[in-house]
Short mmCIF file of all heavy atoms in Angstrom, two decimals:
data_model
loop_
_atom_site.label_atom_id
_atom_site.label_comp_id
_atom_site.label_asym_id
_atom_site.label_seq_id
_atom_site.Cartn_x
_atom_site.Cartn_y
_atom_site.Cartn_z
N MET J 105 -3.81 -11.08 0.94
CA MET J 105 -2.82 -11.28 -0.09
C MET J 105 -2.65 -9.99 -0.88
O MET J 105 -3.63 -9.35 -1.24
CB MET J 105 -3.30 -12.42 -1.00
CG MET J 105 -2.26 -12.86 -1.95
SD MET J 105 -0.78 -13.37 -1.08
CE MET J 105 -0.47 -14.89 -1.82
N PRO J 106 -1.42 -9.57 -1.13
CA PRO J 106 -1.19 -8.32 -1.88
C PRO J 106 -1.72 -8.39 -3.31
O PRO J 106 -1.70 -9.45 -3.94
CB PRO J 106 0.33 -8.19 -1.89
CG PRO J 106 0.84 -9.12 -0.85
CD PRO J 106 -0.19 -10.18 -0.68
N THR J 107 -2.18 -7.24 -3.80
CA THR J 107 -2.61 -7.14 -5.20
C THR J 107 -1.38 -7.12 -6.11
O THR J 107 -0.24 -7.02 -5.63
CB THR J 107 -3.41 -5.84 -5.43
OG1 THR J 107 -2.53 -4.73 -5.24
CG2 THR J 107 -4.62 -5.74 -4.50
N GLU J 108 -1.60 -7.14 -7.41
CA GLU J 108 -0.48 -7.08 -8.37
C GLU J 108 0.34 -5.80 -8.18
O GLU J 108 1.57 -5.83 -8.18
CB GLU J 108 -1.02 -7.16 -9.80
CG GLU J 108 0.06 -7.12 -10.86
CD GLU J 108 -0.49 -7.17 -12.27
OE1 GLU J 108 -1.71 -7.30 -12.45
OE2 GLU J 108 0.32 -7.07 -13.20
N ILE J 109 -0.33 -4.68 -8.00
CA ILE J 109 0.37 -3.41 -7.80
C ILE J 109 1.16 -3.45 -6.49
O ILE J 109 2.32 -3.05 -6.44
CB ILE J 109 -0.61 -2.22 -7.81
CG1 ILE J 109 -1.16 -2.02 -9.23
CG2 ILE J 109 0.06 -0.95 -7.31
CD1 ILE J 109 -2.28 -0.99 -9.33
N GLU J 110 0.54 -3.95 -5.42
CA GLU J 110 1.23 -4.04 -4.14
C GLU J 110 2.45 -4.95 -4.24
O GLU J 110 3.51 -4.64 -3.70
CB GLU J 110 0.27 -4.55 -3.07
CG GLU J 110 -0.80 -3.53 -2.73
CD GLU J 110 -1.98 -4.09 -1.98
OE1 GLU J 110 -2.18 -5.32 -1.97
OE2 GLU J 110 -2.72 -3.28 -1.39
N ARG J 111 2.33 -6.06 -4.95
CA ARG J 111 3.49 -6.95 -5.15
C ARG J 111 4.61 -6.24 -5.89
O ARG J 111 5.78 -6.41 -5.57
CB ARG J 111 3.07 -8.23 -5.87
CG ARG J 111 2.34 -9.22 -4.98
CD ARG J 111 2.16 -10.58 -5.63
NE ARG J 111 1.45 -10.53 -6.90
CZ ARG J 111 0.14 -10.58 -7.03
NH1 ARG J 111 -0.63 -10.70 -5.97
NH2 ARG J 111 -0.43 -10.52 -8.22
N SER J 112 4.25 -5.41 -6.87
CA SER J 112 5.29 -4.67 -7.61
C SER J 112 6.00 -3.69 -6.68
O SER J 112 7.21 -3.51 -6.76
CB SER J 112 4.72 -3.95 -8.83
OG SER J 112 3.99 -2.80 -8.49
N TYR J 113 5.26 -3.05 -5.75
CA TYR J 113 5.89 -2.17 -4.77
C TYR J 113 6.81 -2.95 -3.84
O TYR J 113 7.90 -2.50 -3.51
CB TYR J 113 4.84 -1.45 -3.93
CG TYR J 113 3.99 -0.42 -4.65
CD1 TYR J 113 2.76 -0.04 -4.15
CD2 TYR J 113 4.42 0.20 -5.82
CE1 TYR J 113 1.97 0.91 -4.77
CE2 TYR J 113 3.64 1.15 -6.45
CZ TYR J 113 2.42 1.51 -5.93
OH TYR J 113 1.65 2.46 -6.55
N LEU J 114 6.36 -4.14 -3.41
CA LEU J 114 7.19 -4.98 -2.54
C LEU J 114 8.51 -5.33 -3.21
O LEU J 114 9.56 -5.35 -2.57
CB LEU J 114 6.44 -6.27 -2.17
CG LEU J 114 5.30 -6.10 -1.17
CD1 LEU J 114 4.48 -7.38 -1.09
CD2 LEU J 114 5.84 -5.71 0.18
N GLU J 115 8.46 -5.61 -4.51
CA GLU J 115 9.68 -5.94 -5.26
C GLU J 115 10.64 -4.75 -5.33
O GLU J 115 11.82 -4.93 -5.57
CB GLU J 115 9.32 -6.41 -6.66
CG GLU J 115 8.60 -7.75 -6.68
CD GLU J 115 8.00 -8.10 -8.03
OE1 GLU J 115 8.10 -7.29 -8.98
OE2 GLU J 115 7.40 -9.18 -8.12
N GLN J 116 10.10 -3.54 -5.10
CA GLN J 116 10.91 -2.32 -5.16
C GLN J 116 11.24 -1.78 -3.77
O GLN J 116 11.53 -0.62 -3.61
CB GLN J 116 10.16 -1.25 -5.96
CG GLN J 116 9.90 -1.63 -7.39
CD GLN J 116 8.98 -0.65 -8.05
OE1 GLN J 116 9.41 0.45 -8.40
NE2 GLN J 116 7.71 -1.00 -8.21
N VAL J 117 11.18 -2.60 -2.75
CA VAL J 117 11.56 -2.34 -1.36
C VAL J 117 10.47 -1.78 -0.46
O VAL J 117 10.74 -1.53 0.70
CB VAL J 117 12.86 -1.49 -1.20
CG1 VAL J 117 14.02 -2.09 -1.94
CG2 VAL J 117 12.64 -0.05 -1.59
N TYR J 118 9.25 -1.59 -0.93
CA TYR J 118 8.16 -1.14 -0.04
C TYR J 118 7.89 -2.21 1.00
O TYR J 118 7.93 -3.41 0.72
CB TYR J 118 6.88 -0.87 -0.84
CG TYR J 118 5.67 -0.66 0.04
CD1 TYR J 118 5.48 0.55 0.68
CD2 TYR J 118 4.77 -1.69 0.27
CE1 TYR J 118 4.40 0.76 1.52
CE2 TYR J 118 3.68 -1.50 1.11
CZ TYR J 118 3.50 -0.28 1.72
OH TYR J 118 2.43 -0.10 2.56
N ARG J 119 7.59 -1.78 2.22
CA ARG J 119 7.16 -2.67 3.30
C ARG J 119 5.97 -2.03 3.99
O ARG J 119 5.92 -0.80 4.15
CB ARG J 119 8.28 -2.90 4.32
CG ARG J 119 9.50 -3.58 3.75
CD ARG J 119 9.21 -5.02 3.33
NE ARG J 119 10.34 -5.63 2.65
CZ ARG J 119 10.47 -5.79 1.35
NH1 ARG J 119 9.53 -5.36 0.53
NH2 ARG J 119 11.52 -6.37 0.82
N LEU J 120 5.03 -2.87 4.42
CA LEU J 120 3.89 -2.35 5.18
C LEU J 120 4.37 -1.68 6.46
O LEU J 120 5.32 -2.16 7.08
CB LEU J 120 2.95 -3.49 5.58
CG LEU J 120 2.00 -4.03 4.54
CD1 LEU J 120 1.22 -5.22 5.11
CD2 LEU J 120 1.04 -2.96 4.07
N PRO J 121 3.71 -0.58 6.86
CA PRO J 121 4.04 -0.01 8.15
C PRO J 121 3.79 -1.04 9.26
O PRO J 121 2.89 -1.88 9.15
CB PRO J 121 3.06 1.17 8.27
CG PRO J 121 2.74 1.54 6.85
CD PRO J 121 2.73 0.23 6.12
N GLU J 122 4.57 -0.95 10.31
CA GLU J 122 4.45 -1.89 11.43
C GLU J 122 3.03 -1.89 11.98
O GLU J 122 2.39 -0.85 12.12
CB GLU J 122 5.43 -1.48 12.52
CG GLU J 122 5.54 -2.50 13.62
CD GLU J 122 6.65 -2.17 14.59
OE1 GLU J 122 7.68 -1.60 14.15
OE2 GLU J 122 6.48 -2.47 15.77
N GLY J 123 2.54 -3.09 12.26
CA GLY J 123 1.21 -3.25 12.83
C GLY J 123 0.13 -3.55 11.82
O GLY J 123 -0.99 -3.89 12.20
N LEU J 124 0.41 -3.41 10.52
CA LEU J 124 -0.59 -3.71 9.50
C LEU J 124 -0.30 -5.06 8.84
O LEU J 124 0.86 -5.46 8.73
CB LEU J 124 -0.60 -2.63 8.41
CG LEU J 124 -1.11 -1.26 8.80
CD1 LEU J 124 -1.03 -0.30 7.62
CD2 LEU J 124 -2.54 -1.33 9.30
N THR J 125 -1.35 -5.71 8.41
CA THR J 125 -1.23 -6.95 7.64
C THR J 125 -1.91 -6.73 6.29
O THR J 125 -2.70 -5.78 6.14
CB THR J 125 -1.92 -8.13 8.35
OG1 THR J 125 -3.34 -7.87 8.39
CG2 THR J 125 -1.37 -8.34 9.76
N TRP J 126 -1.65 -7.61 5.35
CA TRP J 126 -2.29 -7.48 4.04
C TRP J 126 -3.81 -7.67 4.15
O TRP J 126 -4.58 -7.06 3.43
CB TRP J 126 -1.68 -8.42 3.02
CG TRP J 126 -0.32 -7.93 2.62
CD1 TRP J 126 0.88 -8.52 2.89
CD2 TRP J 126 -0.01 -6.74 1.90
NE1 TRP J 126 1.90 -7.75 2.41
CE2 TRP J 126 1.39 -6.65 1.78
CE3 TRP J 126 -0.78 -5.71 1.36
CZ2 TRP J 126 2.03 -5.60 1.14
CZ3 TRP J 126 -0.14 -4.65 0.71
CH2 TRP J 126 1.24 -4.61 0.60
N ALA J 127 -4.25 -8.50 5.10
CA ALA J 127 -5.69 -8.67 5.31
C ALA J 127 -6.31 -7.36 5.78
O ALA J 127 -7.40 -6.98 5.33
CB ALA J 127 -5.94 -9.79 6.33
N MET J 128 -5.63 -6.65 6.68
CA MET J 128 -6.12 -5.36 7.16
C MET J 128 -6.16 -4.34 6.02
O MET J 128 -7.12 -3.57 5.90
CB MET J 128 -5.23 -4.84 8.29
CG MET J 128 -5.30 -5.70 9.54
SD MET J 128 -3.97 -5.34 10.70
CE MET J 128 -4.50 -3.77 11.36
N VAL J 129 -5.13 -4.34 5.20
CA VAL J 129 -5.08 -3.42 4.05
C VAL J 129 -6.25 -3.69 3.12
O VAL J 129 -6.95 -2.77 2.69
CB VAL J 129 -3.73 -3.55 3.31
CG1 VAL J 129 -3.76 -2.80 1.99
CG2 VAL J 129 -2.59 -3.06 4.18
N SER J 130 -6.49 -4.95 2.81
CA SER J 130 -7.57 -5.32 1.91
C SER J 130 -8.93 -4.88 2.46
O SER J 130 -9.76 -4.32 1.75
CB SER J 130 -7.55 -6.83 1.69
OG SER J 130 -8.61 -7.21 0.86
N GLU J 131 -9.15 -5.11 3.75
CA GLU J 131 -10.41 -4.74 4.37
C GLU J 131 -10.62 -3.23 4.34
O GLU J 131 -11.69 -2.74 3.98
CB GLU J 131 -10.43 -5.27 5.81
CG GLU J 131 -11.74 -5.04 6.54
CD GLU J 131 -11.78 -3.70 7.26
OE1 GLU J 131 -10.74 -3.23 7.75
OE2 GLU J 131 -12.87 -3.10 7.30
N ARG J 132 -9.61 -2.47 4.68
CA ARG J 132 -9.73 -1.01 4.68
C ARG J 132 -9.86 -0.45 3.27
O ARG J 132 -10.61 0.49 3.04
CB ARG J 132 -8.55 -0.38 5.42
CG ARG J 132 -8.67 -0.54 6.92
CD ARG J 132 -7.36 -0.31 7.62
NE ARG J 132 -7.48 -0.32 9.07
CZ ARG J 132 -7.55 -1.41 9.81
NH1 ARG J 132 -7.52 -2.60 9.23
NH2 ARG J 132 -7.65 -1.35 11.12
N ARG J 133 -9.15 -1.04 2.33
CA ARG J 133 -9.26 -0.60 0.93
C ARG J 133 -10.70 -0.76 0.45
O ARG J 133 -11.27 0.13 -0.17
CB ARG J 133 -8.31 -1.42 0.05
CG ARG J 133 -8.32 -1.01 -1.40
CD ARG J 133 -7.45 -1.90 -2.25
NE ARG J 133 -6.08 -2.00 -1.80
CZ ARG J 133 -5.16 -1.05 -1.89
NH1 ARG J 133 -5.48 0.11 -2.42
NH2 ARG J 133 -3.94 -1.25 -1.46
N ALA J 134 -11.30 -1.92 0.76
CA ALA J 134 -12.69 -2.16 0.34
C ALA J 134 -13.67 -1.23 1.07
O ALA J 134 -14.59 -0.69 0.45
CB ALA J 134 -13.05 -3.62 0.61
N ARG J 135 -13.46 -1.05 2.37
CA ARG J 135 -14.38 -0.22 3.16
C ARG J 135 -14.41 1.21 2.68
O ARG J 135 -15.46 1.85 2.64
CB ARG J 135 -13.97 -0.24 4.63
CG ARG J 135 -14.94 0.56 5.50
CD ARG J 135 -14.54 0.75 6.94
NE ARG J 135 -13.89 -0.39 7.54
CZ ARG J 135 -13.20 -0.33 8.67
NH1 ARG J 135 -13.06 0.81 9.30
NH2 ARG J 135 -12.64 -1.40 9.18
N TRP J 136 -13.27 1.76 2.31
CA TRP J 136 -13.18 3.17 1.95
C TRP J 136 -13.00 3.40 0.46
O TRP J 136 -12.75 4.54 0.02
CB TRP J 136 -12.04 3.84 2.72
CG TRP J 136 -12.25 3.75 4.20
CD1 TRP J 136 -11.62 2.92 5.06
CD2 TRP J 136 -13.19 4.49 4.98
NE1 TRP J 136 -12.10 3.09 6.34
CE2 TRP J 136 -13.07 4.06 6.31
CE3 TRP J 136 -14.12 5.47 4.67
CZ2 TRP J 136 -13.85 4.58 7.33
CZ3 TRP J 136 -14.89 5.98 5.71
CH2 TRP J 136 -14.75 5.55 7.01
N ALA J 137 -13.10 2.33 -0.36
CA ALA J 137 -12.97 2.43 -1.82
C ALA J 137 -11.67 3.14 -2.22
O ALA J 137 -11.66 4.07 -3.02
CB ALA J 137 -14.18 3.13 -2.44
N ILE J 138 -10.56 2.67 -1.64
CA ILE J 138 -9.25 3.25 -1.91
C ILE J 138 -8.67 2.62 -3.16
O ILE J 138 -8.63 1.40 -3.29
CB ILE J 138 -8.31 3.05 -0.70
CG1 ILE J 138 -8.90 3.79 0.52
CG2 ILE J 138 -6.90 3.52 -1.01
CD1 ILE J 138 -8.23 3.47 1.82
N ASP J 139 -8.22 3.44 -4.09
CA ASP J 139 -7.66 2.97 -5.36
C ASP J 139 -6.46 2.06 -5.12
O ASP J 139 -5.69 2.26 -4.19
CB ASP J 139 -7.24 4.17 -6.20
CG ASP J 139 -6.96 3.78 -7.64
OD1 ASP J 139 -5.87 3.20 -7.88
OD2 ASP J 139 -7.81 4.03 -8.50
N GLU J 140 -6.29 1.08 -5.99
CA GLU J 140 -5.22 0.08 -5.84
C GLU J 140 -3.81 0.64 -5.94
O GLU J 140 -2.88 -0.02 -5.50
CB GLU J 140 -5.39 -1.03 -6.87
CG GLU J 140 -6.54 -1.95 -6.56
CD GLU J 140 -6.56 -3.16 -7.46
OE1 GLU J 140 -5.61 -3.37 -8.25
OE2 GLU J 140 -7.53 -3.91 -7.38
N ILE J 141 -3.61 1.82 -6.54
CA ILE J 141 -2.23 2.33 -6.62
C ILE J 141 -1.74 2.86 -5.28
O ILE J 141 -0.56 3.06 -5.09
CB ILE J 141 -2.06 3.42 -7.70
CG1 ILE J 141 -2.80 4.70 -7.33
CG2 ILE J 141 -2.45 2.90 -9.06
CD1 ILE J 141 -2.38 5.90 -8.17
N PHE J 142 -2.66 3.06 -4.33
CA PHE J 142 -2.29 3.59 -3.02
C PHE J 142 -2.09 2.46 -2.01
O PHE J 142 -2.86 1.50 -1.98
CB PHE J 142 -3.35 4.55 -2.50
CG PHE J 142 -3.58 5.72 -3.41
CD1 PHE J 142 -4.81 5.91 -3.99
CD2 PHE J 142 -2.56 6.61 -3.70
CE1 PHE J 142 -5.04 6.98 -4.85
CE2 PHE J 142 -2.76 7.68 -4.55
CZ PHE J 142 -4.01 7.87 -5.12
N VAL J 143 -1.08 2.60 -1.19
CA VAL J 143 -0.80 1.66 -0.10
C VAL J 143 -0.59 2.47 1.17
O VAL J 143 -0.31 3.67 1.11
CB VAL J 143 0.45 0.79 -0.40
CG1 VAL J 143 0.19 -0.17 -1.53
CG2 VAL J 143 1.67 1.64 -0.69
N PRO J 144 -0.69 1.83 2.33
CA PRO J 144 -0.42 2.55 3.56
C PRO J 144 1.04 3.01 3.60
O PRO J 144 1.95 2.21 3.37
CB PRO J 144 -0.68 1.52 4.66
CG PRO J 144 -1.52 0.47 4.03
CD PRO J 144 -1.14 0.46 2.59
N VAL J 145 1.26 4.29 3.83
CA VAL J 145 2.62 4.81 3.90
C VAL J 145 2.97 5.36 5.28
O VAL J 145 4.13 5.59 5.58
CB VAL J 145 2.89 5.90 2.81
CG1 VAL J 145 2.86 5.27 1.43
CG2 VAL J 145 1.91 7.03 2.91
N ALA J 146 1.93 5.56 6.12
CA ALA J 146 2.17 6.06 7.48
C ALA J 146 1.01 5.64 8.36
O ALA J 146 -0.13 5.52 7.90
CB ALA J 146 2.28 7.58 7.47
N VAL J 147 1.32 5.41 9.63
CA VAL J 147 0.30 5.04 10.60
C VAL J 147 0.47 5.92 11.84
O VAL J 147 1.59 6.13 12.30
CB VAL J 147 0.43 3.55 10.99
CG1 VAL J 147 -0.57 3.19 12.07
CG2 VAL J 147 0.24 2.65 9.78
N ALA J 148 -0.64 6.44 12.31
CA ALA J 148 -0.68 7.19 13.57
C ALA J 148 -1.89 6.65 14.34
O ALA J 148 -2.76 6.02 13.74
CB ALA J 148 -0.82 8.68 13.30
N PRO J 149 -1.97 6.86 15.62
CA PRO J 149 -3.12 6.34 16.37
C PRO J 149 -4.45 6.72 15.72
O PRO J 149 -4.75 7.90 15.52
CB PRO J 149 -2.97 6.99 17.75
CG PRO J 149 -1.49 7.21 17.88
CD PRO J 149 -1.04 7.59 16.50
N GLY J 150 -5.20 5.71 15.32
CA GLY J 150 -6.51 5.93 14.71
C GLY J 150 -6.48 6.41 13.28
O GLY J 150 -7.52 6.79 12.74
N CYS J 151 -5.33 6.40 12.62
CA CYS J 151 -5.22 6.97 11.28
C CYS J 151 -4.20 6.20 10.43
O CYS J 151 -3.14 5.82 10.91
CB CYS J 151 -4.77 8.43 11.40
SG CYS J 151 -4.66 9.29 9.82
N VAL J 152 -4.57 5.97 9.16
CA VAL J 152 -3.64 5.37 8.21
C VAL J 152 -3.53 6.32 7.03
O VAL J 152 -4.54 6.74 6.46
CB VAL J 152 -4.13 3.99 7.71
CG1 VAL J 152 -3.22 3.43 6.64
CG2 VAL J 152 -4.24 3.01 8.87
N GLY J 153 -2.30 6.70 6.67
CA GLY J 153 -2.06 7.56 5.51
C GLY J 153 -1.78 6.70 4.29
O GLY J 153 -0.94 5.81 4.33
N TRP J 154 -2.50 6.95 3.21
CA TRP J 154 -2.36 6.17 1.98
C TRP J 154 -1.69 7.02 0.91
O TRP J 154 -1.93 8.23 0.80
CB TRP J 154 -3.73 5.74 1.47
CG TRP J 154 -4.45 4.81 2.38
CD1 TRP J 154 -5.10 5.15 3.53
CD2 TRP J 154 -4.59 3.41 2.23
NE1 TRP J 154 -5.63 4.03 4.11
CE2 TRP J 154 -5.34 2.94 3.33
CE3 TRP J 154 -4.15 2.50 1.29
CZ2 TRP J 154 -5.65 1.60 3.50
CZ3 TRP J 154 -4.49 1.16 1.45
CH2 TRP J 154 -5.21 0.73 2.55
N GLY J 155 -0.85 6.40 0.09
CA GLY J 155 -0.20 7.12 -1.00
C GLY J 155 0.59 6.17 -1.86
O GLY J 155 0.59 4.96 -1.67
N VAL J 156 1.27 6.73 -2.85
CA VAL J 156 2.20 5.98 -3.69
C VAL J 156 3.57 6.14 -3.05
O VAL J 156 4.03 7.26 -2.86
CB VAL J 156 2.21 6.51 -5.14
CG1 VAL J 156 3.27 5.81 -5.96
CG2 VAL J 156 0.84 6.36 -5.78
N PRO J 157 4.21 5.03 -2.69
CA PRO J 157 5.52 5.14 -2.04
C PRO J 157 6.56 5.79 -2.96
O PRO J 157 6.52 5.60 -4.18
CB PRO J 157 5.91 3.70 -1.73
CG PRO J 157 4.72 2.86 -2.02
CD PRO J 157 3.80 3.65 -2.86
N HIS J 158 7.47 6.54 -2.36
CA HIS J 158 8.57 7.19 -3.07
C HIS J 158 9.89 6.75 -2.47
O HIS J 158 9.99 6.56 -1.26
CB HIS J 158 8.47 8.71 -2.93
CG HIS J 158 7.40 9.33 -3.76
ND1 HIS J 158 6.06 9.10 -3.54
CD2 HIS J 158 7.48 10.17 -4.81
CE1 HIS J 158 5.37 9.79 -4.43
NE2 HIS J 158 6.20 10.45 -5.21
N ILE J 159 10.88 6.62 -3.30
CA ILE J 159 12.25 6.37 -2.84
C ILE J 159 13.12 7.42 -3.49
O ILE J 159 13.14 7.55 -4.72
CB ILE J 159 12.74 4.96 -3.21
CG1 ILE J 159 11.91 3.92 -2.45
CG2 ILE J 159 14.22 4.81 -2.88
CD1 ILE J 159 12.29 2.50 -2.74
N GLY J 160 13.81 8.20 -2.69
CA GLY J 160 14.65 9.26 -3.22
C GLY J 160 13.86 10.27 -4.03
O GLY J 160 14.37 10.82 -5.00
N GLY J 161 12.61 10.52 -3.64
CA GLY J 161 11.78 11.49 -4.34
C GLY J 161 11.15 10.99 -5.63
O GLY J 161 10.45 11.73 -6.31
N ILE J 162 11.36 9.71 -5.95
CA ILE J 162 10.81 9.15 -7.17
C ILE J 162 9.75 8.11 -6.80
O ILE J 162 10.02 7.20 -6.01
CB ILE J 162 11.92 8.47 -8.01
CG1 ILE J 162 12.97 9.52 -8.39
CG2 ILE J 162 11.35 7.79 -9.26
CD1 ILE J 162 14.22 8.95 -9.00
N PRO J 163 8.52 8.25 -7.37
CA PRO J 163 7.48 7.28 -7.05
C PRO J 163 7.83 5.89 -7.57
O PRO J 163 8.45 5.76 -8.63
CB PRO J 163 6.23 7.83 -7.73
CG PRO J 163 6.72 8.77 -8.76
CD PRO J 163 8.07 9.25 -8.32
N LEU J 164 7.42 4.87 -6.82
CA LEU J 164 7.65 3.50 -7.28
C LEU J 164 6.79 3.24 -8.51
O LEU J 164 5.70 3.81 -8.67
CB LEU J 164 7.30 2.50 -6.18
CG LEU J 164 8.13 2.61 -4.89
CD1 LEU J 164 7.74 1.49 -3.93
CD2 LEU J 164 9.61 2.55 -5.18
N ARG J 165 7.27 2.36 -9.36
CA ARG J 165 6.54 2.00 -10.59
C ARG J 165 5.46 0.97 -10.24
O ARG J 165 5.58 0.22 -9.30
CB ARG J 165 7.48 1.37 -11.61
CG ARG J 165 8.58 2.29 -12.09
CD ARG J 165 9.54 1.57 -13.04
NE ARG J 165 9.93 0.24 -12.63
CZ ARG J 165 10.88 -0.05 -11.75
NH1 ARG J 165 11.52 0.91 -11.14
NH2 ARG J 165 11.16 -1.30 -11.44
N HIS J 166 4.40 0.97 -11.04
CA HIS J 166 3.37 -0.06 -10.90
C HIS J 166 2.84 -0.41 -12.28
O HIS J 166 2.90 0.40 -13.20
CB HIS J 166 2.25 0.39 -9.96
CG HIS J 166 1.56 1.63 -10.39
ND1 HIS J 166 2.00 2.88 -10.05
CD2 HIS J 166 0.46 1.82 -11.14
CE1 HIS J 166 1.19 3.79 -10.56
NE2 HIS J 166 0.25 3.16 -11.23
N PRO J 167 2.34 -1.66 -12.40
CA PRO J 167 1.84 -2.10 -13.73
C PRO J 167 0.58 -1.36 -14.15
O PRO J 167 -0.12 -0.81 -13.39
CB PRO J 167 1.55 -3.58 -13.54
CG PRO J 167 1.66 -3.86 -12.08
CD PRO J 167 2.28 -2.68 -11.42
#
């Protein structure tokens, strides 16, 4: 289930990269102690890039 910050990103048009689920995001966030403001923004074989999503060069807002 998305966190409050993730839900706010979803409301602003963010979508998970293809192949990821919120359960996978939660598990990886816990495993690597990734801060809640970061979400997966890119996926490559064996790698997930985390960051604050941007639209038109402007970062999405979060509570």
Side-chain angles (χ1 to χ4, degrees):
M105 189 57 131
T107 66
E108 180 181 357
I109 291 172
E110 291 164 343
R111 284 191 303 273
S112 75
Y113 291 158
L114 287 169
E115 292 169 358
Q116 298 171 76
V117 305
Y118 169 78
R119 298 293 174 259
L120 281 176
E122 189 172 327
L124 291 179
T125 66
W126 287 112
M128 294 166 74
V129 169
S130 178
E131 184 271 326
R132 285 163 174 79
R133 182 184 305 288
R135 182 187 323 164
W136 300 104
I138 297 169
D139 193 284
E140 287 189 7
I141 68 165
F142 301 118
V143 291
V145 293
V147 176
C151 182
V152 175
W154 295 77
V156 175
H158 285 66
I159 294 180
I162 299 170
L164 298 184
R165 298 176 316 278
H166 59 272

